[in-house]
Amino acid sequence: MLHVAGHVFNTGDILPTHLIKTFSLTIFFLASGFVSANMFVKEVEWRDLLSWKNYCLLVPFLVLGISLILWKDYAMHARFTANPVIVLFTNEFNNGYWFLLVLTIVRFSLLLSRLILQYMPLNKLFCKQFLCSNRIFFLLLNIVVMSVLGVGIALLLNKMDFYKAYAPWYIMGALVKVYNLQDSCFKKDVVHAGFAILAVFFVAFNYFFIDHEIYYFGQNYMNTFFMTFAVFMTLVRTNPEHPIAKAFIWLGKISLDVYVLHYFFYAVDFGYVLPKGYIAACPYTLQTIVIFFISCILIFCSYILSKIIRQNKFLTNILLGR
């Protein structure tokens, strides 16, 4: 929902957009690492490299990415003027689908690093007792190898900036789960309150006294770090039986569908739904309400389109990958 909301008014003059851009993507990777933490500790085999679930995100990346480019191209020129494959891979943001490619790089590099370390004769480099008693050392070694592999792949695919910005959040999410920090630390009131207070302080200070430009505001690491973990802790502490929690769980189940399909409901001039000057002149409260309302409409439309696609197994496989 935050990802959709961040695209409603993609401009630096709107405070709600500033806040959304601060943590919406980092919490996406943090949550992805959290739910995939078992990849850091489970035994893997070489045949796992061929497992479809590790590459299924590339299906919507390619099929829907190319389809979106063709749709926008025809809508703007009434004919096809560019090679969609070239546009998809040369566009910095892959027409909005960069997340799928970067997440695939992260998961593949992690899987490959696990395999390399499992089959390396580490007992010849370190004593067996050291390896058995130092789980942290092995985990850190895994992260180092994964990072080296991921950097190499990201450089080949021209995604280095995205990889170095978001792969650490995937790793942090996995570490939170591996060491059970969500229960042992994040549910403590003093920790949650501390992160929330620091998040408010850094965001307010940066916005009102330093920089109003959305790019630099969202890239400020202090803003991002404390906002991301403050929101994550809030979600962790929420009772799963609460209606809001149930709504988020439902959104989580359709998050891939909403992410890949909501782009098709934007105007051709991507990122703008209403004129910039109109919404920028409104009070912050009204801006938030409008953004929330439009986001709900986009999510609903994406959900309906998803339901239609998933009625047919063939369409589901070729459009969504799973």
Side-chain angles (χ1 to χ4, degrees):
M1 186 172 188
L2 289 169
H3 186 75
V4 175
H7 289 154
V8 172
F9 300 109
N10 198 15
T11 169
D13 298 333
I14 301 173
L15 180 59
T17 303
H18 277 282
L19 297 177
I20 292 168
K21 293 287 186 177
T22 300
F23 66 94
S24 59
L25 291 171
T26 50
I27 202 167
F28 214 154
F29 275 89
L30 187 73
S32 297
F34 183 81
V35 299
S36 304
N38 65 317
M39 291 183 66
F40 277 87
V41 294
K42 72 175 183 178
E43 293 289 324
V44 295
E45 299 179 3
W46 286 106
R47 64 182 181 183
D48 292 330
L49 281 176
L50 303 177
S51 176
W52 174 244
K53 66 179 181 181
N54 294 317
Y55 309 102
C56 60
L57 293 180
L58 294 179
V59 172
F61 171 79
L62 291 170
V63 178
L64 294 180
I66 291 173
S67 300
L68 180 61
I69 292 169
L70 291 173
W71 178 83
K72 291 172 65 177
D73 191 22
Y74 190 83
M76 291 169 55
H77 305 105
R79 60 190 179 91
F80 300 118
T81 62
N83 186 317
V85 178
I86 294 177
V87 173
L88 178 64
F89 281 96
T90 56
N91 181 270
E92 179 183 3
F93 297 96
N94 302 115
N95 234 49
Y97 292 114
W98 66 267
F99 172 83
L100 302 175
L101 183 58
V102 174
L103 185 57
T104 301
I105 294 173
V106 173
R107 290 176 60 88
F108 178 78
S109 60
L110 171 58
L111 180 61
L112 191 57
S113 70
R114 292 283 299 159
L115 286 168
I116 291 173
L117 292 178
Q118 279 182 203
Y119 288 93
M120 277 183 64
L122 294 178
N123 58 329
K124 295 182 179 180
L125 301 175
F126 307 95
C127 68
K128 190 173 182 180
Q129 291 77 7
F130 177 82
L131 291 175
C132 293
S133 61
N134 285 270
R135 183 186 179 191
I136 294 179
F137 169 79
F138 189 80
L139 189 61
L140 291 175
L141 186 60
N142 189 20
I143 292 173
V144 170
V145 176
M146 167 195 172
S147 300
V148 172
L149 293 170
V151 166
I153 300 171
L155 284 172
L156 288 174
L157 297 175
N158 196 29
K159 282 289 160 285
M160 186 58 200
D161 289 341
F162 292 96
Y163 182 84
K164 69 182 183 182
Y166 297 108
W169 289 97
Y170 183 94
I171 295 172
M172 283 191 282
L175 293 178
V176 167
K177 182 66 173 180
V178 168
Y179 291 101
N180 199 34
L181 296 180
Q182 74 276 12
D183 293 324
S184 63
C185 182
F186 290 174
K187 288 189 177 182
K188 294 182 179 180
D189 293 339
V190 63
V191 176
H192 187 204
F195 270 83
I197 292 171
L198 288 171
V200 172
F201 170 78
F202 280 109
V203 168
F205 181 81
N206 185 264
Y207 179 76
F208 291 107
F209 297 104
I210 298 180
D211 206 324
H212 283 254
E213 287 297 322
I214 186 171
Y215 176 81
Y216 297 104
F217 183 86
Q219 295 296 316
N220 184 288
Y221 190 78
M222 299 302 288
N223 294 348
T224 298
F225 181 82
F226 287 107
M227 280 292 292
T228 300
F229 274 104
V231 173
F232 183 75
M233 290 178 196
T234 301
L235 297 175
V236 167
R237 292 164 59 92
T238 303
N239 185 344
E241 297 302 319
H242 193 280
I244 295 179
K246 290 183 177 181
F248 281 130
I249 292 172
W250 175 77
L251 280 173
K253 293 178 180 178
I254 62 170
S255 59
L256 174 65
D257 298 24
V258 171
Y259 169 72
V260 298
L261 295 175
H262 82 279
Y263 290 112
F264 288 88
F265 295 99
Y266 280 118
V268 173
D269 52 340
F270 177 76
Y272 293 88
V273 178
L274 292 177
K276 174 182 175 181
Y278 173 81
I279 190 66
C282 296
Y284 292 148
T285 304
L286 182 58
Q287 291 176 0
T288 304
I289 293 173
V290 172
I291 289 174
F292 177 77
F293 179 72
I294 295 177
S295 299
C296 288
I297 293 176
L298 291 171
I299 290 173
F300 177 75
C301 292
S302 302
Y303 173 68
I304 295 300
L305 181 57
S306 168
K307 292 288 287 184
I308 294 173
I309 292 173
R310 290 192 178 276
Q311 292 297 316
N312 186 295
K313 188 175 181 180
F314 176 73
L315 281 179
T316 301
N317 290 331
I318 65 171
L319 294 179
L320 301 175
R322 57 185 181 185

